[in-house]
Short mmCIF file of all heavy atoms in Angstrom, two decimals:
data_model
loop_
_atom_site.label_atom_id
_atom_site.label_comp_id
_atom_site.label_asym_id
_atom_site.label_seq_id
_atom_site.Cartn_x
_atom_site.Cartn_y
_atom_site.Cartn_z
N PHE O 5 0.82 -1.20 0.00
CA PHE O 5 0.00 -0.02 0.00
C PHE O 5 0.87 1.25 0.00
O PHE O 5 2.00 1.24 0.47
CB PHE O 5 -0.90 0.00 1.25
CG PHE O 5 -1.87 -1.14 1.31
CD1 PHE O 5 -1.44 -2.37 1.82
CD2 PHE O 5 -3.16 -1.00 0.84
CE1 PHE O 5 -2.32 -3.43 1.84
CE2 PHE O 5 -4.05 -2.07 0.90
CZ PHE O 5 -3.63 -3.29 1.41
N LEU O 6 0.32 2.32 -0.53
CA LEU O 6 0.99 3.59 -0.52
C LEU O 6 0.53 4.43 0.69
O LEU O 6 -0.68 4.61 0.90
CB LEU O 6 0.72 4.41 -1.82
CG LEU O 6 1.34 5.81 -1.91
CD1 LEU O 6 2.88 5.70 -1.92
CD2 LEU O 6 0.82 6.55 -3.19
N LEU O 7 1.48 4.89 1.52
CA LEU O 7 1.16 5.70 2.69
C LEU O 7 1.84 7.05 2.59
O LEU O 7 2.97 7.16 2.05
CB LEU O 7 1.63 5.04 3.99
CG LEU O 7 1.12 3.67 4.39
CD1 LEU O 7 1.66 3.34 5.80
CD2 LEU O 7 -0.40 3.68 4.45
N GLU O 8 1.18 8.08 3.09
CA GLU O 8 1.80 9.38 3.27
C GLU O 8 1.94 9.63 4.73
O GLU O 8 0.95 9.54 5.49
CB GLU O 8 0.97 10.49 2.65
CG GLU O 8 1.64 11.85 2.83
CD GLU O 8 0.77 13.02 2.39
OE1 GLU O 8 -0.38 13.13 2.89
OE2 GLU O 8 1.22 13.77 1.50
N ARG O 9 3.15 9.89 5.20
CA ARG O 9 3.38 10.21 6.61
C ARG O 9 3.62 11.74 6.69
O ARG O 9 4.46 12.29 6.00
CB ARG O 9 4.61 9.47 7.14
CG ARG O 9 4.99 9.87 8.59
CD ARG O 9 5.96 8.86 9.16
NE ARG O 9 5.28 7.58 9.39
CZ ARG O 9 5.88 6.47 9.74
NH1 ARG O 9 7.22 6.44 9.90
NH2 ARG O 9 5.22 5.32 9.95
N ALA O 10 2.79 12.41 7.50
CA ALA O 10 2.87 13.86 7.58
C ALA O 10 2.90 14.30 9.02
O ALA O 10 2.23 13.77 9.92
CB ALA O 10 1.65 14.48 6.88
N ALA O 11 3.69 15.37 9.30
CA ALA O 11 3.80 15.96 10.60
C ALA O 11 3.71 17.47 10.44
O ALA O 11 4.15 18.00 9.46
CB ALA O 11 5.13 15.57 11.26
N GLY O 12 3.11 18.13 11.47
CA GLY O 12 2.93 19.56 11.37
C GLY O 12 1.52 19.95 11.01
O GLY O 12 0.60 19.13 11.13
N ILE O 13 1.33 21.17 10.58
CA ILE O 13 -0.01 21.64 10.30
C ILE O 13 -0.22 21.61 8.78
O ILE O 13 0.53 22.21 7.99
CB ILE O 13 -0.17 23.11 10.79
CG1 ILE O 13 0.15 23.20 12.25
CG2 ILE O 13 -1.55 23.62 10.44
CD1 ILE O 13 0.15 24.63 12.80
N PRO O 14 -1.20 20.81 8.31
CA PRO O 14 -1.44 20.68 6.87
C PRO O 14 -1.63 22.03 6.22
O PRO O 14 -2.37 22.92 6.77
CB PRO O 14 -2.72 19.81 6.79
CG PRO O 14 -2.70 19.05 8.06
CD PRO O 14 -2.14 19.95 9.09
N GLY O 15 -1.05 22.23 5.05
CA GLY O 15 -1.15 23.47 4.34
C GLY O 15 -0.21 24.57 4.76
O GLY O 15 -0.18 25.62 4.12
N HIS O 16 0.58 24.34 5.78
CA HIS O 16 1.54 25.34 6.24
C HIS O 16 2.95 24.90 5.85
O HIS O 16 3.22 23.68 5.64
CB HIS O 16 1.45 25.56 7.76
CG HIS O 16 0.18 26.21 8.18
ND1 HIS O 16 -1.07 25.63 8.02
CD2 HIS O 16 -0.03 27.42 8.78
CE1 HIS O 16 -1.98 26.47 8.52
NE2 HIS O 16 -1.39 27.53 8.93
N ASN O 17 3.86 25.83 5.87
CA ASN O 17 5.24 25.53 5.44
C ASN O 17 5.95 24.62 6.42
O ASN O 17 6.98 24.06 6.13
CB ASN O 17 6.03 26.83 5.28
CG ASN O 17 5.53 27.66 4.11
OD1 ASN O 17 4.97 27.11 3.14
ND2 ASN O 17 5.70 28.99 4.17
N THR O 18 5.37 24.51 7.64
CA THR O 18 6.06 23.67 8.63
C THR O 18 5.73 22.21 8.47
O THR O 18 6.30 21.34 9.17
CB THR O 18 5.61 24.09 10.05
OG1 THR O 18 4.13 24.02 10.16
CG2 THR O 18 6.06 25.54 10.36
N GLU O 19 4.83 21.85 7.57
CA GLU O 19 4.45 20.45 7.40
C GLU O 19 5.61 19.65 6.75
O GLU O 19 6.18 20.10 5.77
CB GLU O 19 3.20 20.32 6.52
CG GLU O 19 2.66 18.92 6.43
CD GLU O 19 1.46 18.80 5.53
OE1 GLU O 19 1.23 19.62 4.63
OE2 GLU O 19 0.68 17.85 5.75
N ALA O 20 5.88 18.49 7.31
CA ALA O 20 6.87 17.58 6.75
C ALA O 20 6.15 16.30 6.30
O ALA O 20 5.35 15.75 7.03
CB ALA O 20 7.94 17.25 7.77
N THR O 21 6.43 15.85 5.07
CA THR O 21 5.75 14.64 4.54
C THR O 21 6.77 13.75 3.87
O THR O 21 7.79 14.18 3.41
CB THR O 21 4.66 15.00 3.57
OG1 THR O 21 5.24 15.60 2.39
CG2 THR O 21 3.64 15.96 4.16
N CYS O 22 6.40 12.45 3.81
CA CYS O 22 7.13 11.49 2.98
C CYS O 22 6.19 10.41 2.57
O CYS O 22 5.18 10.14 3.22
CB CYS O 22 8.37 10.93 3.74
SG CYS O 22 7.99 9.88 5.17
N LEU O 23 6.50 9.79 1.43
CA LEU O 23 5.68 8.70 0.95
C LEU O 23 6.43 7.40 1.31
O LEU O 23 7.63 7.27 1.17
CB LEU O 23 5.50 8.77 -0.57
CG LEU O 23 4.66 9.93 -1.07
CD1 LEU O 23 4.58 9.92 -2.61
CD2 LEU O 23 3.20 9.82 -0.53
N LEU O 24 5.60 6.41 1.75
CA LEU O 24 6.16 5.10 2.14
C LEU O 24 5.35 3.98 1.46
O LEU O 24 4.17 4.16 1.14
CB LEU O 24 6.05 4.93 3.65
CG LEU O 24 6.72 5.97 4.56
CD1 LEU O 24 6.36 5.71 6.02
CD2 LEU O 24 8.25 5.91 4.37
N ALA O 25 6.04 2.88 1.23
CA ALA O 25 5.36 1.69 0.75
C ALA O 25 5.18 0.76 1.95
O ALA O 25 6.19 0.46 2.68
CB ALA O 25 6.18 1.00 -0.33
N ALA O 26 3.99 0.33 2.22
CA ALA O 26 3.67 -0.55 3.36
C ALA O 26 3.40 -1.94 2.78
O ALA O 26 2.37 -2.16 2.16
CB ALA O 26 2.49 -0.01 4.13
N LYS O 27 4.33 -2.87 3.06
CA LYS O 27 4.12 -4.24 2.62
C LYS O 27 3.59 -5.05 3.76
O LYS O 27 4.21 -5.18 4.82
CB LYS O 27 5.47 -4.83 2.12
CG LYS O 27 5.35 -6.19 1.47
CD LYS O 27 6.64 -6.60 0.78
CE LYS O 27 6.49 -7.90 0.02
NZ LYS O 27 7.73 -8.31 -0.69
N ARG O 28 2.39 -5.59 3.59
CA ARG O 28 1.73 -6.35 4.64
C ARG O 28 1.56 -7.79 4.24
O ARG O 28 0.87 -8.12 3.28
CB ARG O 28 0.33 -5.72 4.91
CG ARG O 28 0.44 -4.29 5.42
CD ARG O 28 -0.88 -3.57 5.40
NE ARG O 28 -0.71 -2.14 5.75
CZ ARG O 28 -1.60 -1.22 5.54
NH1 ARG O 28 -2.75 -1.49 4.97
NH2 ARG O 28 -1.36 0.02 5.87
N PHE O 29 2.31 -8.64 4.95
CA PHE O 29 2.31 -10.06 4.67
C PHE O 29 1.05 -10.72 5.12
O PHE O 29 0.56 -10.49 6.25
CB PHE O 29 3.53 -10.71 5.28
CG PHE O 29 4.83 -10.41 4.55
CD1 PHE O 29 5.44 -9.20 4.76
CD2 PHE O 29 5.35 -11.29 3.62
CE1 PHE O 29 6.61 -8.86 4.08
CE2 PHE O 29 6.54 -10.98 2.97
CZ PHE O 29 7.15 -9.76 3.17
N ARG O 30 0.50 -11.59 4.30
CA ARG O 30 -0.75 -12.31 4.65
C ARG O 30 -0.46 -13.38 5.64
O ARG O 30 0.63 -14.02 5.65
CB ARG O 30 -1.36 -12.90 3.40
CG ARG O 30 -1.76 -11.87 2.33
CD ARG O 30 -2.27 -12.61 1.13
NE ARG O 30 -2.54 -11.68 0.05
CZ ARG O 30 -3.73 -11.13 -0.15
NH1 ARG O 30 -4.70 -11.34 0.72
NH2 ARG O 30 -3.94 -10.30 -1.17
N ASP O 31 -1.41 -13.74 6.51
CA ASP O 31 -1.28 -14.80 7.47
C ASP O 31 -2.10 -16.03 7.05
O ASP O 31 -2.24 -16.95 7.85
CB ASP O 31 -1.63 -14.37 8.88
CG ASP O 31 -3.07 -13.92 8.99
OD1 ASP O 31 -3.82 -14.01 7.98
OD2 ASP O 31 -3.48 -13.52 10.11
N THR O 32 -2.61 -16.09 5.87
CA THR O 32 -3.34 -17.26 5.41
C THR O 32 -2.38 -18.13 4.61
O THR O 32 -1.30 -17.73 4.21
CB THR O 32 -4.52 -16.86 4.55
OG1 THR O 32 -4.09 -15.95 3.52
CG2 THR O 32 -5.62 -16.19 5.36
N HIS O 33 -2.82 -19.39 4.39
CA HIS O 33 -1.96 -20.37 3.80
C HIS O 33 -2.00 -20.30 2.25
O HIS O 33 -2.77 -21.00 1.65
CB HIS O 33 -2.35 -21.76 4.31
CG HIS O 33 -1.22 -22.72 4.35
ND1 HIS O 33 -1.32 -23.98 4.86
CD2 HIS O 33 0.10 -22.60 3.93
CE1 HIS O 33 -0.12 -24.60 4.78
NE2 HIS O 33 0.72 -23.76 4.23
N HIS O 34 -1.19 -19.39 1.68
CA HIS O 34 -1.20 -19.24 0.26
C HIS O 34 -0.18 -20.18 -0.41
O HIS O 34 0.71 -20.71 0.20
CB HIS O 34 -0.85 -17.78 -0.11
CG HIS O 34 -1.93 -16.84 0.18
ND1 HIS O 34 -2.27 -16.40 1.41
CD2 HIS O 34 -2.85 -16.23 -0.69
CE1 HIS O 34 -3.32 -15.59 1.35
NE2 HIS O 34 -3.68 -15.48 0.08
N ARG O 35 -0.33 -20.28 -1.71
CA ARG O 35 0.49 -21.18 -2.48
C ARG O 35 1.97 -20.79 -2.36
O ARG O 35 2.88 -21.66 -2.34
CB ARG O 35 0.09 -21.13 -3.97
CG ARG O 35 0.95 -22.05 -4.89
CD ARG O 35 0.30 -22.20 -6.22
NE ARG O 35 0.04 -20.86 -6.85
CZ ARG O 35 0.95 -20.19 -7.55
NH1 ARG O 35 2.16 -20.70 -7.71
NH2 ARG O 35 0.68 -19.03 -8.08
N THR O 36 2.27 -19.52 -2.23
CA THR O 36 3.65 -19.11 -2.14
C THR O 36 4.31 -19.67 -0.92
O THR O 36 5.46 -20.05 -0.94
CB THR O 36 3.71 -17.56 -2.10
OG1 THR O 36 3.15 -17.01 -3.31
CG2 THR O 36 5.15 -17.06 -2.00
N PHE O 37 3.57 -19.78 0.18
CA PHE O 37 4.16 -20.36 1.43
C PHE O 37 4.42 -21.82 1.23
O PHE O 37 5.30 -22.36 1.90
CB PHE O 37 3.22 -20.10 2.59
CG PHE O 37 3.23 -18.68 3.06
CD1 PHE O 37 2.04 -18.04 3.42
CD2 PHE O 37 4.41 -17.95 3.14
CE1 PHE O 37 2.04 -16.75 3.83
CE2 PHE O 37 4.40 -16.62 3.55
CZ PHE O 37 3.19 -16.02 3.88
N HIS O 38 3.66 -22.52 0.41
CA HIS O 38 3.97 -23.92 0.14
C HIS O 38 5.35 -24.09 -0.47
O HIS O 38 6.06 -25.03 -0.13
CB HIS O 38 2.89 -24.50 -0.80
CG HIS O 38 1.63 -24.88 -0.13
ND1 HIS O 38 1.56 -25.83 0.86
CD2 HIS O 38 0.36 -24.40 -0.29
CE1 HIS O 38 0.31 -25.97 1.29
NE2 HIS O 38 -0.44 -25.13 0.58
N ARG O 39 5.69 -23.22 -1.42
CA ARG O 39 6.96 -23.39 -2.08
C ARG O 39 8.11 -22.72 -1.33
O ARG O 39 9.23 -22.77 -1.72
CB ARG O 39 6.88 -22.85 -3.49
CG ARG O 39 6.68 -21.35 -3.64
CD ARG O 39 6.61 -20.95 -5.08
NE ARG O 39 6.34 -19.53 -5.21
CZ ARG O 39 7.26 -18.61 -5.27
NH1 ARG O 39 8.53 -18.92 -5.09
NH2 ARG O 39 6.95 -17.34 -5.43
N SER O 40 7.80 -22.04 -0.21
CA SER O 40 8.77 -21.29 0.51
C SER O 40 9.87 -22.18 1.12
O SER O 40 10.90 -21.67 1.52
CB SER O 40 8.10 -20.44 1.61
OG SER O 40 7.67 -21.21 2.62
N THR O 41 9.60 -23.47 1.28
CA THR O 41 10.60 -24.33 1.95
C THR O 41 11.90 -24.38 1.15
O THR O 41 12.96 -24.56 1.76
CB THR O 41 10.00 -25.76 2.08
OG1 THR O 41 9.57 -26.20 0.81
CG2 THR O 41 8.86 -25.76 3.05
N VAL O 42 11.84 -24.17 -0.14
CA VAL O 42 13.06 -24.14 -0.94
C VAL O 42 13.99 -23.04 -0.51
O VAL O 42 15.21 -23.20 -0.37
CB VAL O 42 12.71 -24.00 -2.45
CG1 VAL O 42 14.00 -23.82 -3.28
CG2 VAL O 42 11.92 -25.20 -2.96
N TYR O 43 13.37 -21.87 -0.21
CA TYR O 43 14.16 -20.70 0.16
C TYR O 43 14.53 -20.72 1.65
O TYR O 43 15.59 -20.15 2.04
CB TYR O 43 13.37 -19.41 -0.12
CG TYR O 43 12.99 -19.30 -1.57
CD1 TYR O 43 11.67 -19.50 -1.97
CD2 TYR O 43 13.93 -18.95 -2.52
CE1 TYR O 43 11.29 -19.36 -3.30
CE2 TYR O 43 13.55 -18.83 -3.86
CZ TYR O 43 12.25 -19.01 -4.25
OH TYR O 43 11.90 -18.89 -5.56
N ALA O 44 13.72 -21.37 2.43
CA ALA O 44 13.92 -21.30 3.93
C ALA O 44 14.94 -22.33 4.41
O ALA O 44 15.27 -22.34 5.58
CB ALA O 44 12.61 -21.52 4.61
#
Protein backbone atom coordinates (compact mmCIF):
# COMPACT_ATOMS: atom_id res chain seq x y z
CA PHE A 1 0.00 0.00 0.00
CA LEU A 2 1.01 3.63 -0.52
CA LEU A 3 1.16 5.70 2.69
CA GLU A 4 1.79 9.38 3.26
CA ARG A 5 3.39 10.24 6.61
CA ALA A 6 2.85 13.86 7.58
CA ALA A 7 3.80 15.94 10.60
CA GLY A 8 2.95 19.56 11.37
CA ILE A 9 0.00 21.65 10.28
CA PRO A 10 -1.43 20.68 6.86
CA GLY A 11 -1.17 23.48 4.33
CA HIS A 12 1.54 25.33 6.25
CA ASN A 13 5.23 25.54 5.44
CA THR A 14 6.05 23.67 8.65
CA GLU A 15 4.45 20.44 7.39
CA ALA A 16 6.87 17.58 6.73
CA THR A 17 5.76 14.65 4.57
CA CYS A 18 7.14 11.52 2.99
CA LEU A 19 5.69 8.68 0.95
CA LEU A 20 6.15 5.11 2.14
CA ALA A 21 5.37 1.67 0.76
CA ALA A 22 3.68 -0.55 3.35
CA LYS A 23 4.14 -4.24 2.60
CA ARG A 24 1.71 -6.33 4.64
CA PHE A 25 2.31 -10.07 4.65
CA ARG A 26 -0.75 -12.29 4.66
CA ASP A 27 -1.27 -14.81 7.46
CA THR A 28 -3.34 -17.26 5.40
CA HIS A 29 -1.94 -20.37 3.80
CA HIS A 30 -1.19 -19.23 0.25
CA ARG A 31 0.50 -21.18 -2.50
CA THR A 32 3.64 -19.09 -2.14
CA PHE A 33 4.16 -20.34 1.41
CA HIS A 34 3.95 -23.93 0.14
CA ARG A 35 6.96 -23.40 -2.07
CA SER A 36 8.79 -21.29 0.51
CA THR A 37 10.58 -24.32 1.94
CA VAL A 38 13.06 -24.15 -0.95
CA TYR A 39 14.17 -20.70 0.17
CA ALA A 40 13.94 -21.32 3.90
